[in-house]
Amino acid sequence: MGEVFPLLLVLAIAAAASSLLELSSRNRLTHWHSVAEAVAVTIVIVGTSSTASPVAYLAVPPVVAGIRHGLVTTLNVTLLSALTAAATFALEPDGDALEGAAACAPWLAIGLGVGLLASWQSRSTRDLAARQAPYAAAHHLMARIHQLATSGTLGLDSASLATELEDAMRRATGGARSTVFVVEPDTTLRALNPGADVERLAREIELPDSERTPGAAVIPLRGARQVLGYCVVVGVPRWTDELDARAREVADDFAVRLDTAVLFDDVRALATSEERNRIAREMHDGVAQEIVAMGYIVDEIESISDHDQTRELASALRDEITRLVSEIRFSIFDLRHEVIDGRVSSSLADYARAVSLASGLRVHLSLAESGPPLSPRTATEVLRVAQEAIGNVRKHANAENLWLTFESDGTSLQLDVEDDGVGNAGPREHHWGLQTMRERAEGVGARLEIGPRRDGGTVVSLRSPATTTREGGTAHGHHRATG
């Protein structure tokens, strides 16, 4: 027993090490640790001249390989065990190679046979695990993203994180302000917290240190393999090595969080767009078709009835069905209409033109959009607010004219939707349009105001906090459509 115990301890250590390696590389295609265990076990067992050597353990590596990894790995493990045993016997000229080979061969054969049988039996389980592996990894990732996105202290809102980074950078350096830029896939820069001088600050990134504006510094947001963005700090009286180290520490703390938030913004936008398109398809293929079918029934009733009152009621019902179908088509158009290339003005023009042609409203456009595009989220929310406001005019205002004004310089925005209708716009019970517009405005840090128009009607205004009166811009002119 005293001779066997050290061997068993060595074999147990080899098995434990192989198990740990198995766990750490379970998602990889290579299984070198199984081969390494077989070679080590064979050397230990064959190299021991004691008659108490546990030769039967030679069957274990092929069996385990068959269960875990399949046919090819089982054959490789058995072949290398046999070659290792032969080489070990060859290096011991004083030993009886034939006797040792006769003792080892049956166990290697048993291990091979059982391993092949196990590989065949466990093939379906391995195939299922291989098919589910990508989904399991995706599930784990989505669970982590959901946890972060719903966290009260560490969310995944890029605008909030950019503001938090700006505050932290200002406290760390004493700077007046900072702007956070992220590098887009096409290598362009996009500001997450733009200000009035965003274009000038973007140029600071390209300048060497000696040519930058006094008191300005560019702090890279570094990822594991590349620069994810930059934080441009201005208004620091004197940059020192200590300030630079402190600023880089703050940037490193936020870099991966901010990059993840930007990626999550893209995922959320894609998911939202897909869901809107799905709802639009369901509306078109479901309720819209059912209502159209009801219209055919009403037409049939009107055509076969001899009662004037019945025909009159059927005609009124047919008009109401036509109105409902038109509203559904508008809703589908709203759901599918998106911002193209980040430019809100072109999307607003297309939408207003479609509403004018369909409803008979005279639409007057004044669009001035210059500078860098608004962030995708802000642009989308501005479009949705405009859609809701225009929809309210079309459905409830009984107006003849609609004025749509939009101005943006890439850092601030102003949207006005005016009509000459009945006025008295306000929230109504079980109608959530105004509340939804306010929520959208708050989501992008803008302010929504609704009030009477001076010459009658209603004005809906959306303004960012940084909105100022501007002159010039890229005017798209006016558009009039007479119904």
Side-chain angles (χ1 to χ4, degrees), residues 139-407:
H139 180 272
H140 177 72
L141 177 61
M142 293 304 297
R144 290 289 299 149
I145 290 177
H146 181 268
Q147 179 183 355
L148 289 173
T150 56
S151 171
T153 58
L154 185 62
L156 284 179
D157 182 79
S158 59
S160 299
L161 279 175
T163 302
E164 187 180 345
L165 172 57
E166 180 182 8
D167 293 340
M169 192 66 71
R170 193 166 56 246
R171 290 193 301 268
T173 64
R177 61 179 299 270
S178 64
T179 299
V180 180
F181 296 89
V182 293
V183 180
E184 298 283 44
D186 60 357
T187 70
T188 59
L189 296 174
R190 176 166 64 87
L192 295 181
N193 59 332
D197 55 351
V198 62
E199 294 184 0
R200 181 180 65 82
L201 294 182
R203 289 194 295 270
E204 298 283 350
I205 298 174
E206 306 296 333
L207 297 176
D209 293 346
S210 59
E211 298 180 14
R212 287 192 180 122
T213 304
V218 177
I219 312 300
L221 303 174
R222 298 172 293 190
R225 298 182 179 180
Q226 60 185 355
V227 175
L228 307 174
Y230 302 90
C231 182
V232 181
V233 186
V234 294
V236 179
R238 181 174 176 271
W239 272 95
T240 63
D241 292 340
E242 181 182 356
L243 279 183
D244 186 71
R246 197 182 304 164
R248 289 178 181 273
E249 182 179 352
V250 172
D252 291 342
D253 182 50
F254 276 85
V256 177
R257 292 166 55 190
L258 198 59
D259 188 57
T260 305
V262 172
L263 178 61
F264 185 70
D265 282 347
D266 292 341
V267 172
R268 178 166 48 196
L270 290 173
T272 301
S273 177
E274 177 60 30
E275 182 63 11
R276 293 177 69 89
N277 288 332
R278 185 192 68 81
I279 295 174
R281 290 193 299 269
E282 294 294 331
M283 291 175 62
H284 179 272
D285 298 337
V287 63
Q289 300 303 322
E290 296 292 336
I291 294 177
V292 170
M294 289 176 58
Y296 294 145
I297 296 174
V298 172
D299 290 341
E300 184 70 17
I301 293 173
E302 185 179 8
S303 65
I304 66 175
S305 176
D306 295 330
H307 296 85
D308 292 340
Q309 187 177 8
T310 301
R311 287 197 300 269
E312 183 179 347
L313 290 174
S315 179
L317 181 57
R318 188 68 175 88
D319 292 340
E320 181 63 17
I321 289 175
T322 301
R323 187 190 68 82
L324 287 175
V325 172
S326 178
E327 290 298 325
I328 290 175
R329 287 173 177 168
F330 268 116
S331 297
I332 293 173
F333 181 62
D334 285 354
L335 288 168
R336 287 191 174 274
H337 198 62
E338 302 286 349
V339 176
I340 305 300
D341 298 330
R343 293 298 180 182
V344 182
S345 56
S346 58
S347 297
L348 287 176
D350 292 342
Y351 185 79
R353 187 177 299 111
V355 170
S356 176
L357 293 174
S359 65
L361 274 171
R362 288 192 295 270
V363 178
H364 311 267
L365 291 180
S366 177
L367 307 176
E369 187 173 11
S370 61
L374 296 172
S375 69
R377 181 181 179 187
T378 300
T380 299
E381 297 294 21
V382 170
L383 176 62
R384 301 306 176 212
V385 170
Q387 286 179 334
E388 182 67 31
I390 294 172
N392 288 338
V393 174
R394 179 177 55 80
K395 291 183 286 187
H396 308 302
N398 193 25
E400 295 183 0
N401 294 276
L402 182 145
W403 292 267
L404 178 60
T405 303
F406 176 71
E407 297 183 6

